[in-house]
Amino acid sequence: MSGGFRFFAPLKTQDSEAKQPQAKKEAEKGKSKAAADPASPQNQPEQLPAAVGHSTPARKEQEQQEEDQESHRSSTSRLSRSPLRGVKKVKMMQCKITLLDGSDYSVNVEKRAKGQVLLDKVCEYLNLLEKDYFGITYRDIESQKNWLDPSKELKKQIRNGPWNFSFNVKFYPPDPSQLCEDITRYYLCLQLRDDVVSGRLPCSFATHTLLGSYTVQSELGDYDLEELGSDYISEIRFAPNQTKELEEKVMELHKTYKGMTPAVAEIHFLENAKKLSMYGVDLHHAKDSEGVEIMLGVCASGLLIYRDRLRINRFAWPKILKISYKRNNFYIKIRPGEFEQFESTIGFKLPNHRAAKRLWKVCVEHHTFFRLVSPEAPPKKFLSLGSKFRYSGRTQAQTRSASAQIARPAPLFERSSSKRYNMSRSLDGAPITENHETPVKGNATDGAPKVIAKEDIITTVTTERKAEEENAEREDAQEVAAETDATTPLRHDTKDSEPPPEVVKHQTNISELKRSFLETGSNGGGGAPGLTEWEKRLSSSPLRSPRADEDPMIEPLELQDAKDEQTEQEAGPKDTVAAVGYLVKYVADSVVTDGATSSGPHGISLSTTMDDDVFVDGTLREEAGGKTQDSQEEEEEASDKSATKLSPGAVRQEVSQAISDKKGTLIIFKQAENKEDEETSKKEGLVDRAESETDGNKEQKRQASLKAEIKHGDVSQIRGVDSPKKAMASWISEEKVESSEVVSVFTKELKELKTLDEPQQKAEGIQPKSSPTHVTVSASLAVSAPGWVSPSHKVSADQEKAVVVTENEAESAKPKAPDGVEVAAKDVPVVHTETKTITYESAEVDTNGDADPGVLLSAQTITSETTSTTTTTHITKTVKGGISETRIEKRIVITGDADIDHDEALAQAIKEAKEQHPDMSVTKVVVHKETEITPEEGED
Amino acid sequence: MAGIMKISAAEIKCDEEVDNNIYRFERAKKEREKEESENMAGLMAGFGHYTHAVVRGIPASLAKEALRTSQAEVDLTRARTEHEAYVEVLRTRLGLEVVELPADESLPDCVFVEDAAVVCGETALITRPGAESRRRETEVMKEALKDLNLNIVEMTDENATLDGGDVLFTGREFFVGLSKRTNQRGAEILADAFKDYAVSTVPVLEGLHLKSFCSMGGPGLIIIGSSEPAQKALKIMQQMSDHRYDKLTVPDDIAANCVYMNLPNKGHVLLHCTAEEFPESVKVFEKLKDHMLIPVSNMEKVKVDGALTCCSVLISKNPNI
């Protein structure tokens, strides 16, 4: 039994700006894991040992080492420059990559290079432009194949394993004829041949002969008895169990292909291969709830369930509301069908936690790649912490439009007689290859990858291509802007700081919402954190009242989909929005990062749940994406109604849905209450808690998304109100007038933010290692609402019991003493995880209680680790109304065994924080405790 | 083709009211057309294109001893007349090479050859019928198919049962009804025999076989009965499939069992029930403007649960391979 213990201690001071810069140097000394607290230079990392005494699990928060991305504008930007990373000596590592033809390619990369570097190098070497379908795998300790995450360092993924990799097709295009280049199809063919020969892609005898014959034609060219000899065919492998009969049939067919070019033969090969039922299906061993051995197959269209060879179920992506994993369980939440009233959660047992996570990741990636128009996070932008993971590459839609721009002459390449497929007695295929020198499209000569282990091959990407890629990226940003509304909600639940009884009371008041939430509760037993299902949200949202007469179950879903989509389209074209989108997204991602952080080494369930949430949004959004592709009529209809869609009411509705989606019962109703609280104190006393809390970020992100949408709608009809939270509260409680007022504030705020943050974004782009700097953004926004909860809370929604205690102290400048913290070890029988979150907060009356968002001067994040603690310090400086303000948020993750006195550790941490910043006041302490009885090994 | 479109459009509307995944159907047409054109070459070439048919005579024992779910009296003479007419359509009107196996008095159900073998492409799976009394029906069938140079796969597993009547091949995949006659193991062996295709299982809660209430009416067109179990089974099939299908709903479940072929010079051919038996369902078929519609009487055999597809095993001898 072990526990992770973490708290935030946001410190805040006025006018402490000057103190920050000096801290930097010390921080730099601290190399990768320095705990630097810039606001008080005298404090060295070793003085921050809030929990030095605690034993430390081997795993650290890896990404915390990532350095910040900072604004150039401020004095602190100097600080931000890589305190955590030694740039000086670059250690190179040799990677061996097994290519699709069976040959090995060796290349040197920096030791700390990310996966993308390797993929890029291999694709360069292979002269492959349409590389989004491909990926690199490595074997983990259990000798399982894992996909290299391009956004993560190689070293951290392979760990202590050898630097050996394989180049593989990751996403099998359902229609290979849509691939742009022959060379891409060639590599796909090589992969499929391996799939066939290895038995992963089962086929009938007839198909073996057909595929084999095209293979022979492609590799050897026309049948020629004199040149090839009569036995040529048995040197090539076509099937797992190759028979003479098969070879003869292949030869028979081969004879009929005279004159067929290799490229055409490959097209025929692919046209047949793609129809095989197991084409592109990534199988995972699992057991169903009754312990029956099954296989889960992930493919472009969804999730397939097999028992032996039989398909016993299939869940198309649109049918899946949510996927999640917890320990070695994998869950899918299914949209209710015609015969069911409620969504159901189906659980599968994987052999171990790693397998569950691997499956989950593959699902996320496939879903994103095949179903979404754009990935949920812009590439390279974000870091993952712990298990946070998203597919960040291009989607199929993006890669298609990108490759449509490929302007290079078709590269000439050699179809090497693949070693892999030859029988052992083959003579390396050397004589064979001469045969198909016939250049089909004979302009360019390519550096054909025949040579093994050649390094430092430089292939320049054509400029057109580059431009294209940039375009694509910009599109990403735009997409993201629109997307945020969907992503927003998931952070929200953290806000639940309300004691459950309260909540229940409220719940009964809002009958419309009740239904869906009850439902959430009812199937909570399923295990995955209960989210309300999309159409339920729609139908139950009070904001849908204008359409109350319509069928609540089906119609709204369509409308909602259409709306999302529409918003997306609207938001897309404008550059400004794109910028905002980036920003917003960035914030959002940071939030996730926080969530993962909070989980600590033991918090797998937590972090996975955070992951889930990320994906859930994807699933939801998919509806939009799917629609885009699937029914254009609907789309058009949607845009006809654009005025309605973009009305504040619609936005509002969306947000409230988002809320309900993410949070479930408790949180929602909490908000409703908040709203009442704030009703009276409207427009003043913003409890400025946003800057240090993920919650705040959520808010902010929501604001941003609101803004993004509203911007294209009728801004004119919107008047400013105080906070988004309030807005949301009011939405939920059907106070429509207010809600419609909310948004313009954010519009303004975000505009300012945008200007500030854009350069910052650039900076991030340059520095590959960055740690969450969400603070940067949030600092400039004041968000009102008392009480919040650490992001991890939501996790507990279903299986874990959470005790949430919130105290909001008016005017209290001092934090609560640690004795207020309850560390009761609750025994939860089903899931051996306990999540506990306690918030102490002084309801500071902010000097900038007005809506002035302030101007951000600087922001930085410093991470330090000692043996048992990880401390992340966020420092932001803003100027609001002439007063400069510095906020410091410390997040300290204390990890260790149960016998650690967390209370004491907390007290110590708070004390130290105060000591370090004597001139600052602690405005909030949030304790999040998570205990897990069976600590799982950390995920990659 | 236009005829199908029309009807399926009507069906789509029905679906809209109940099904969230409507767009599947709207896309279906395009995709089906595309798939059809793709099918012209390669692996799944020519769904419905048959060259041979294996049929078997009716033994006198059928009248009294053939298995049946109802208590109806069978008129043996009329049954034989019907069957002769059926074979005649295959042979003369459609020009198939008909292999006629002799009836076996000890096998009262032997006329229903479909249950004894599943042929797809060059492979014939000799089944292990669920009814013990019918097991020996496969012997002659196996020999006949061997003579046609098909690759024979036998179901030897004693735990496996499979009736061909539970196997719906759509051209792109198999659906296997898990019924009184067919079990999981049988379906697994079928999946093993036809590795190219997805094989999905569908519970058959009522009726004898999966094809007691459905059949193919064209590439991507499923003819389905309107009973609740039939509709439910169709839903499951839709869910399990990566492909889009249109459906043609007919009022009578048994009328949904038709024989579809796509023959050179004849195009889409549909053998279906007569107006005498199921007038309402025939009205639906008559809307299929692009099909050559051939009503075939089946009044007697249906009394022993024999539908149109049951009476033949259709084979496509592909000259390519």
Side-chain angles (χ1 to χ4, degrees):
Chain A
M1 166 130 182
S2 60
F5 201 0
R6 168 186 78 118
F7 75 89
F8 299 91
L11 301 163
K12 182 176 164 188
T13 187
Q14 305 294 322
D15 207 20
S16 62
E17 186 178 357
K19 297 186 179 166
Q20 296 194 23
Q22 303 95 309
K24 205 54 216 176
K25 296 205 167 112
E26 277 99 16
E28 269 161 351
K29 284 184 210 152
K31 201 131 191 230
S32 70
K33 295 177 183 186
D37 189 17
S40 50
Q42 74 272 24
N43 286 303
Q44 294 304 301
E46 15 347 329
Q47 289 175 309
L48 242 194
V52 169
H54 302 312
S55 73
T56 281
R59 253 181 64 75
K60 315 265 180 189
E61 306 290 347
Q62 301 178 348
E63 312 299 327
Q64 296 252 344
Q65 303 169 16
E66 309 275 350
E67 101 192 303
D68 281 348
Q69 297 134 20
E70 304 301 324
S71 162
H72 298 311
R73 300 160 47 111
S74 74
S75 58
T76 45
S77 66
R78 206 163 22 102
L79 300 183
S80 68
R81 208 141 293 161
S82 72
L84 313 170
R85 186 168 65 143
V87 197
K88 283 126 208 172
K89 52 176 177 191
V90 180
K91 196 170 176 203
M92 302 298 281
M93 294 297 290
Q94 191 180 60
C95 301
K96 192 184 89 180
I97 303 113
T98 304
L99 301 177
L100 288 167
D101 64 358
S103 65
D104 285 338
Y105 165 59
S106 292
V107 66
N108 289 338
V109 296
E110 283 181 35
K111 194 177 180 187
R112 315 207 60 169
K114 297 204 164 145
Q116 187 67 44
V117 173
L118 194 57
L119 181 60
D120 288 345
K121 287 201 183 222
V122 174
C123 290
E124 248 176 50
Y125 173 74
L126 295 173
N127 202 13
L128 183 62
L129 293 188
E130 293 175 281
K131 57 188 176 189
D132 299 301
Y133 299 95
F134 299 83
I136 289 178
T137 58
Y138 64 94
R139 298 265 177 191
D140 63 18
I141 320 146
E142 297 159 342
S143 188
Q144 293 294 318
K145 264 198 180 181
N146 287 268
W147 290 104
L148 205 57
D149 185 342
S151 63
K152 282 186 171 177
E153 287 183 24
L154 294 168
K155 191 165 67 78
K156 286 177 179 164
Q157 300 184 63
I158 59 170
R159 300 194 176 191
N160 296 324
W163 289 62
N164 293 343
F165 304 90
S166 291
F167 179 74
N168 290 107
V169 173
K170 187 174 193 180
F171 304 114
Y172 291 73
D175 187 0
S177 66
Q178 287 196 30
L179 292 175
C180 182
E181 295 198 299
D182 288 341
I183 192 168
T184 315
R185 270 187 288 272
Y186 168 64
Y187 289 120
L188 178 57
C189 280
L190 289 183
Q191 175 71 67
L192 287 165
R193 286 170 58 187
D194 187 47
D195 292 347
V196 168
V197 168
S198 68
R200 284 192 299 274
L201 182 56
C203 15
S204 66
F205 181 86
T207 303
H208 277 309
T209 57
L210 204 55
L211 296 181
S213 65
Y214 289 125
T215 297
V216 176
Q217 181 69 21
S218 150
E219 275 204 0
L220 308 185
D222 289 350
Y223 175 80
D224 185 333
L225 187 63
E226 282 182 20
E227 204 172 328
L228 298 173
S230 59
D231 201 26
Y232 72 100
I233 214 107
S234 55
E235 291 173 359
I236 304 176
R237 293 210 66 190
F238 309 108
N241 305 307
Q242 194 157 322
T243 60
K244 215 60 211 151
E245 188 195 3
L246 175 66
E247 289 171 6
E248 278 160 22
K249 293 264 184 191
V250 169
M251 224 185 310
E252 260 174 55
L253 283 174
H254 183 204
K255 286 175 191 167
T256 68
Y257 297 152
K258 283 239 162 82
M260 187 186 285
T261 66
V264 171
E266 281 152 11
I267 286 172
H268 285 304
F269 179 98
L270 294 173
E271 285 305 296
N272 285 286
K274 75 170 190 192
K275 290 175 183 161
L276 296 168
S277 81
M278 299 306 284
Y279 171 83
V281 178
D282 185 31
L283 285 178
H284 299 252
H285 283 281
K287 285 181 181 171
D288 68 9
S289 54
E290 284 152 22
V292 177
E293 289 275 359
I294 55 168
M295 299 281 267
L296 301 180
V298 184
C299 67
S301 67
L303 190 63
L304 305 165
I305 319 291
Y306 295 92
R307 192 173 141 192
D308 287 307
R309 282 189 193 281
L310 291 178
R311 188 184 287 182
I312 56 173
N313 216 336
R314 172 180 179 269
F315 302 100
W317 293 127
K319 186 88 179 152
I320 300 178
L321 288 166
K322 177 181 161 122
I323 61 170
S324 57
Y325 69 98
K326 206 168 263 173
R327 291 181 199 80
N328 63 336
N329 295 308
F330 175 78
Y331 301 100
I332 53 176
K333 185 170 239 176
I334 306 300
R335 183 186 300 281
E338 189 192 342
F339 302 115
E340 311 97 52
Q341 223 177 340
F342 303 119
E343 72 258 36
S344 51
T345 299
I346 302 173
F348 304 96
K349 273 232 178 309
L350 278 287
N352 55 43
H353 169 72
R354 288 177 150 276
K357 177 169 187 189
R358 199 160 44 234
L359 169 61
W360 178 85
K361 275 176 142 183
V362 168
C363 284
V364 169
E365 291 177 323
H366 274 73
H367 172 264
T368 308
F369 186 82
F370 289 110
R371 295 291 302 180
L372 299 190
V373 173
S374 65
E376 296 182 88
K380 296 172 222 136
K381 259 317 176 202
F382 307 117
L383 312 156
S384 25
L385 255 192
S387 66
K388 188 197 81 63
F389 169 80
R390 279 194 257 175
Y391 176 67
S392 57
R394 283 198 285 221
T395 64
Q396 179 173 242
Q398 288 171 332
T399 196
R400 272 185 188 167
S401 60
S403 51
Q405 313 283 321
I406 291 176
R408 69 174 178 182
L412 188 65
F413 57 97
E414 198 174 338
R415 277 132 176 123
S416 59
S417 162
S418 339
K419 292 150 195 63
R420 172 177 292 178
Y421 312 107
N422 288 352
M423 300 301 224
S424 47
R425 58 200 167 104
S426 161
L427 293 174
D428 204 27
I432 295 166
T433 42
E434 336 171 336
N435 238 8
H436 54 280
E437 290 290 90
T438 36
V440 190
K441 313 180 184 179
N443 338 25
T445 28
D446 67 325
K450 204 54 219 292
V451 192
I452 304 175
K454 185 164 181 199
E455 286 171 40
D456 305 324
I457 287 185
I458 297 157
T459 307
T460 333
V461 180
T462 61
T463 45
E464 299 95 307
R465 174 68 174 174
K466 279 227 168 92
E468 174 47 40
E469 277 171 4
E470 275 160 28
N471 272 343
E473 241 153 70
R474 219 177 314 130
E475 279 164 24
D476 279 6
Q478 292 167 352
E479 291 289 352
V480 164
E483 198 182 337
T484 32
D485 57 77
T487 322
T488 302
L490 69 119
R491 314 324 181 254
H492 197 78
D493 44 332
T494 60
K495 200 165 302 146
D496 177 20
S497 54
E498 203 71 10
E502 280 287 335
V503 174
V504 173
K505 194 183 84 198
H506 280 274
Q507 183 175 11
T508 55
N509 290 340
I510 307 176
S511 58
E512 261 183 303
L513 289 171
K514 198 167 104 186
R515 179 167 60 113
S516 64
F517 295 141
L518 285 177
E519 178 209 316
T520 304
S522 72
N523 66 66
L531 294 194
T532 336
E533 176 240 331
W534 189 237
E535 52 246 278
K536 286 283 161 52
R537 273 184 286 129
L538 276 165
S539 58
S540 61
S541 166
L543 306 158
R544 289 203 55 84
S545 44
R547 300 176 202 273
D549 50 331
E550 292 173 11
D551 181 340
M553 293 301 290
I554 294 153
E555 277 303 314
L557 174 65
E558 299 304 319
L559 289 168
Q560 182 62 39
D561 291 348
K563 185 170 61 110
D564 284 352
E565 183 179 353
Q566 201 272 337
T567 312
E568 225 166 282
Q569 289 170 345
E570 282 287 305
K574 309 214 177 174
D575 278 345
T576 46
V577 178
V580 173
Y582 240 51
L583 166 65
V584 167
K585 199 61 187 181
Y586 177 60
V587 172
D589 216 70
S590 304
V591 173
V592 176
T593 303
D594 286 339
T597 310
S598 71
S599 69
H602 304 288
I604 280 148
S605 58
L606 169 62
S607 49
T608 60
T609 312
M610 293 306 285
D611 282 352
D612 302 343
D613 288 344
V614 172
F615 184 61
V616 168
D617 292 310
T619 314
L620 296 177
R621 203 173 92 71
E622 143 157 354
E623 295 305 314
K627 277 280 145 36
T628 309
Q629 294 173 341
D630 289 342
S631 83
Q632 295 193 322
E633 299 92 323
E634 247 164 293
E635 200 174 310
E636 282 155 21
E637 194 186 317
S639 35
D640 289 345
K641 295 178 185 168
S642 62
T644 341
K645 307 293 184 200
L646 285 182
S647 73
V651 174
R652 199 170 25 146
Q653 167 195 330
E654 197 157 283
V655 173
S656 72
Q657 284 154 10
I659 293 164
S660 60
D661 175 45
K662 295 331 264 180
K663 304 181 33 176
T665 321
L666 303 181
I667 296 101
I668 287 266
F669 294 108
K670 154 72 159 95
Q671 297 216 324
E673 186 178 71
N674 275 349
K675 178 239 147 212
E676 276 166 20
D677 294 347
E678 290 167 24
E679 196 84 317
T680 44
S681 62
K682 163 195 278 196
K683 245 201 142 215
E684 47 171 57
L686 303 189
V687 183
D688 191 353
R689 59 189 186 72
E691 75 277 8
S692 59
E693 296 154 14
T694 52
D695 192 24
N697 289 294
K698 273 177 234 162
E699 296 284 1
Q700 189 178 7
K701 180 161 163 262
R702 184 166 295 114
Q703 293 170 5
S705 67
L706 285 172
K707 185 250 178 179
E709 294 175 31
I710 286 300
K711 199 161 177 195
H712 308 285
D714 315 40
V715 184
S716 55
Q717 57 172 291
I718 300 158
R719 264 190 339 105
V721 155
D722 38 8
S723 83
K725 169 134 186 189
K726 177 167 181 186
M728 288 182 301
S730 60
W731 298 342
I732 289 160
S733 56
E734 304 186 54
E735 305 247 356
K736 288 163 195 156
V737 189
E738 269 182 28
S739 56
S740 64
E741 293 172 346
V742 173
V743 198
S744 66
V745 170
F746 312 132
T747 310
K748 185 178 152 211
E749 288 173 357
L750 281 164
K751 260 184 196 146
E752 292 175 27
L753 268 178
K754 193 180 65 201
T755 48
L756 281 171
D757 284 296
E758 261 180 302
Q760 212 174 337
Q761 301 273 324
K762 294 268 157 58
E764 290 159 17
I766 294 158
Q767 304 171 1
K769 309 187 65 206
S770 61
S771 65
T773 53
H774 61 282
V775 189
T776 307
V777 184
S778 54
S780 56
L781 286 180
V783 179
S784 88
W788 68 289
V789 156
S790 88
S792 54
H793 176 67
K794 185 196 56 28
V795 180
S796 57
D798 260 353
Q799 290 204 341
E800 294 158 36
K801 289 241 158 74
V803 179
V804 181
V805 180
T806 309
E807 295 184 23
N808 297 320
E809 295 186 12
E811 302 289 328
S812 154
K814 287 291 161 190
K816 284 300 240 184
D819 54 357
V821 182
E822 277 183 42
V823 192
K826 256 232 175 106
D827 208 58
V828 186
V830 187
V831 181
H832 308 285
T833 306
E834 183 186 338
T835 306
K836 187 175 176 110
T837 303
I838 302 169
T839 304
Y840 296 103
E841 175 181 39
S842 60
E844 54 180 312
V845 176
D846 217 90
T847 42
N848 41 287
D850 57 0
D852 178 9
V855 176
L856 175 68
L857 283 182
S858 68
Q860 66 171 326
T861 302
I862 298 161
T863 305
S864 73
E865 287 186 37
T866 66
T867 46
S868 65
T869 63
T870 302
T871 304
T872 311
T873 307
H874 295 298
I875 301 164
T876 47
K877 298 174 72 180
T878 52
V879 174
K880 297 184 192 180
I883 303 169
S884 81
E885 179 184 286
T886 302
R887 292 163 192 280
I888 301 175
E889 175 199 354
K890 281 185 187 295
R891 164 170 304 142
I892 305 174
V893 179
I894 304 168
T895 49
D897 293 327
D899 54 352
I900 288 169
D901 187 342
H902 292 286
D903 288 356
E904 209 207 312
L906 174 66
Q908 178 71 15
I910 294 171
K911 189 163 151 257
E912 277 174 24
K914 281 198 276 185
E915 281 168 5
Q916 285 165 8
H917 311 283
D919 51 343
M920 301 181 86
S921 57
V922 177
T923 57
K924 182 178 293 174
V925 178
V926 175
V927 180
H928 172 79
K929 187 190 177 204
E930 205 176 305
T931 331
E932 196 171 341
I933 286 157
T934 49
E936 304 257 357
E937 206 223 327
E939 52 293 310
D940 64 340
Chain B
M1 220 48 215
I4 301 180
M5 296 312 167
K6 240 184 204 164
I7 288 166
S8 53
E11 294 303 328
I12 287 160
K13 267 178 201 142
C14 291
D15 272 317
E16 270 179 43
E17 285 153 29
V18 291
D19 190 357
N20 294 340
N21 292 331
I22 322 151
Y23 66 89
R24 300 183 76 191
F25 285 85
E26 290 178 351
R27 276 178 84 185
K29 277 174 269 176
K30 273 182 216 161
E31 294 212 351
R32 189 155 49 79
E33 276 162 14
K34 198 171 158 235
E35 282 176 16
E36 260 180 75
S37 65
E38 284 167 2
N39 279 344
M40 288 307 122
L43 198 57
M44 290 91 178
F47 173 65
H49 178 266
Y50 301 112
T51 55
H52 293 65
V54 179
V55 297
R56 198 165 188 181
I58 297 181
S61 54
L62 175 125
K64 295 273 182 280
E65 293 165 42
L67 302 169
R68 67 203 77 191
T69 48
S70 62
Q71 298 301 318
E73 281 284 313
V74 179
D75 181 330
L76 185 64
T77 317
R78 283 186 61 182
R80 282 183 167 153
T81 313
E82 267 176 14
H83 189 59
E84 275 159 28
Y86 175 92
V87 173
E88 213 40 41
V89 165
L90 298 180
R91 179 180 299 152
T92 311
R93 186 139 181 213
L94 301 177
L96 300 183
E97 192 93 16
V98 176
V99 178
E100 217 167 342
L101 305 175
D104 185 333
E105 287 300 331
S106 64
L107 298 169
D109 291 290
C110 69
V111 63
F112 304 122
V113 287
E114 176 187 49
D115 293 322
V118 178
V119 179
C120 180
E122 294 289 297
T123 302
L125 173 68
I126 308 301
T127 66
R128 193 168 177 276
E132 186 108 39
S133 63
R134 302 191 59 188
R135 297 270 157 81
R136 284 197 305 115
E137 291 179 24
T138 59
E139 292 167 7
V140 186
M141 178 58 73
K142 185 173 86 181
E143 294 312 313
L145 296 176
K146 248 185 202 164
D147 292 345
L148 288 166
N149 284 321
L150 294 172
N151 306 315
I152 305 291
V153 179
E154 286 186 83
M155 195 175 279
T156 49
D157 189 329
E158 299 211 336
N159 296 316
T161 61
L162 182 101
D163 276 16
D166 278 317
V167 179
L168 179 70
F169 179 63
T170 70
R172 298 301 308 267
E173 63 192 312
F174 285 96
F175 293 105
V176 178
L178 297 181
S179 66
K180 301 177 191 77
R181 300 279 177 87
T182 300
N183 63 20
Q184 177 93 12
R185 185 73 194 118
E188 280 166 15
I189 291 170
L190 179 130
D192 230 26
F194 303 105
K195 290 196 179 75
D196 290 348
Y197 301 98
V199 178
S200 306
T201 53
V202 183
V204 176
L205 304 172
E206 280 174 49
L208 180 63
H209 286 138
L210 177 65
K211 281 195 280 190
S212 298
F213 51 75
C214 68
S215 65
M216 294 307 290
L221 177 66
I222 296 175
I223 303 176
I224 186 80
S226 52
S227 75
E228 200 186 304
Q231 292 293 321
K232 219 163 185 166
L234 181 69
K235 284 280 167 210
I236 291 170
M237 290 192 273
Q238 282 170 0
Q239 187 192 319
M240 301 275 259
S241 177
D242 298 321
H243 308 291
R244 324 283 184 191
Y245 296 102
D246 286 332
K247 66 172 180 180
L248 181 66
T249 307
V250 294
D252 311 284
D253 275 9
I254 297 190
N257 183 292
C258 304
V259 178
Y260 167 80
M261 294 183 218
N262 186 1
L263 301 177
N265 306 322
K266 298 194 175 58
H268 303 288
V269 177
L270 196 69
L271 274 64
H272 61 82
C273 59
T274 59
E276 196 186 344
E277 297 163 89
F278 301 107
E280 292 306 310
S281 293
V282 168
K283 279 181 196 161
V284 177
F285 292 128
E286 278 165 358
K287 291 177 190 159
L288 294 170
K289 296 298 178 205
D290 288 346
H291 283 59
M292 176 195 279
L293 297 173
I294 306 177
V296 179
S297 175
N298 194 39
M299 289 173 97
E300 293 304 318
K301 284 180 282 185
V302 82
K303 293 175 183 168
V304 284
D305 304 306
L308 289 176
T309 60
C310 298
C311 302
S312 59
V313 171
L314 299 173
I315 295 150
S316 175
K317 286 300 291 174
N318 194 336
N320 284 349
I321 301 175

